[in-house]
Structure formats: structure tokens, C-alpha cells
Amino acid sequence: LDELDARFFIHLSSATCRNGELFEFLDKQFSQSNRHVQRFCFEVTENVALSHLTSAVELSRFLKSMGCQIALDNFGSDMSAFMNLKNLPVDFVKIDGLLVRDIAQDQISHGIVESIHNVAKRMGMQTIAEHVESNVILDEITNVGIDYAQGHFYDRARPLLDVMSAPQQSKRKR
């Protein structure tokens, strides 16, 4: 892990977020390992976070106290999202891929992505564009100022153990 310049995003389901044993499990895992906790970012979808706001805030605060980071996944799929963002202590906002994939040909999608990025920046959060599938999309999100790109343009999603055991390969970097 030391040799990799990587951040690992771990998606948490609704059931996982409500699981009372998660705190103890993660505390045990991170205290027993020599892993770089700051490289782990836990993702919670906006809908799950809002449906279980108290649990999501509690989980976010716990993970941040451990040194992990939190991403609000699928942000922007609900237009009341800006108001809700103020109440969630997250580090990253992952902009919904349905908006990102149309950014080059649809000025409305472009404007929404740009707005999400601007609001997130004002709140001290970093932005991740989902569904980056081409150079055209990468160029558009770069022009907007998005911090990170995620999508098949770089690589397909794989289990973390596969990534960690695979030989180091050079990857395209933004």
C-alpha cells in the first residue's frame, strides 16, 4: 500500500450504515492493521444519507475521527441536494454520472456539474466526477475544475484485494 499512490473508495450500503456493529468492526480492523487510514474513503449515497440522516452523521463523524474520509455518492440526483449538503460532514462530493456523461453536449448538465463543484468548493469539499468514459468528458470536467475523475476511461471497478495484489502498472493521470 505504501508504494501505491491510491485512494480506496468503499461503498457502504443502507444496511451497512444502519449496522450497529460496523463501528466496532472498523475500529478493530484499523487498529490491528498498518494501513494508511487516510487513504480510505467510505461512500454513502445521498439517498441513504438523507433517509438515515442521524446514522449517516454519526457514521461520518466516527470515520473522520479514525482518519478516514467520506464521500457523498450520487450527489445531484435530487435537486434539493444543495440544502442537504450543508448538514452532512463529508470530504468529497461525487457528482452523479448521469450529469457527468452528458457534460460535453448538454449545457444544462454542464451548468449543474459546475454549480455542484462551486458549492462544494465553497464548503471546503473536493469533487469527483463519476462515469468519466472519454477524453471529451475528461476535458470538460478539467475545464470546470473537478478534482478527481472516476470511470471506465481509467479502469473498470475491481475488488480491492485484486488491486492490491496486481503488479504496479502505469495509469493515465489527470
Side-chain angles (χ1 to χ4, degrees):
L1 191 60
D2 286 335
E3 297 173 17
L4 293 176
D5 183 22
R7 182 167 281 140
F8 301 98
F9 287 80
I10 301 163
H11 182 80
L12 298 176
S13 69
S14 176
T16 302
C17 290
R18 293 187 317 252
N19 183 341
E21 297 174 10
L22 180 63
F23 294 91
E24 186 178 321
F25 172 78
L26 290 173
D27 186 41
K28 182 178 178 183
Q29 296 304 308
F30 286 125
S31 65
Q32 290 180 349
S33 75
N34 208 8
R35 302 285 184 210
H36 295 273
V37 176
Q38 71 277 10
R39 290 188 179 174
F40 289 86
C41 183
F42 291 86
E43 301 179 8
V44 178
T45 66
E46 179 183 14
N47 288 338
V48 167
L50 296 176
S51 297
H52 310 286
L53 187 58
T54 302
S55 298
V57 168
E58 209 174 282
L59 178 61
S60 294
R61 288 185 177 144
F62 170 76
L63 290 169
K64 287 172 81 72
S65 76
M66 297 291 293
C68 298
Q69 294 182 311
I70 311 298
L72 188 59
D73 195 11
N74 293 337
F75 181 79
S77 57
D78 177 0
M79 293 317 292
S80 64
F82 285 116
M83 292 307 296
N84 297 319
L85 187 59
K86 290 173 54 175
N87 299 315
L88 293 167
V90 299
D91 302 292
F92 295 90
V93 174
K94 292 182 68 179
I95 302 170
D96 190 78
L98 295 175
L99 296 169
V100 173
R101 72 177 180 201
D102 293 335
I103 192 172
Q105 64 268 11
D106 179 12
Q107 288 301 307
I108 305 259
S109 291
H110 190 281
I112 293 171
V113 168
E114 193 169 37
S115 296
I116 293 169
H117 172 73
N118 290 337
V119 169
K121 281 296 167 197
R122 285 184 179 247
M123 296 179 73
M125 299 169 187
Q126 293 184 303
T127 52
I128 302 168
E130 297 182 324
H131 291 252
V132 176
E133 308 295 330
S134 69
N135 263 324
V136 173
I137 295 172
L138 182 62
D139 289 344
E140 289 294 325
I141 65 165
T142 300
N143 290 336
V144 168
I146 301 293
D147 298 298
Y148 295 96
Q150 181 180 46
H152 292 160
F153 180 68
Y154 290 101
D155 204 351
R156 301 248 180 239
R158 297 181 285 158
L160 181 59
L161 291 176
D162 292 353
V163 172
M164 294 180 70
S165 64
Q168 182 92 18
Q169 298 175 0
S170 92
K171 292 282 180 194
R172 289 175 271 206
K173 291 195 177 196
R174 186 173 104 80

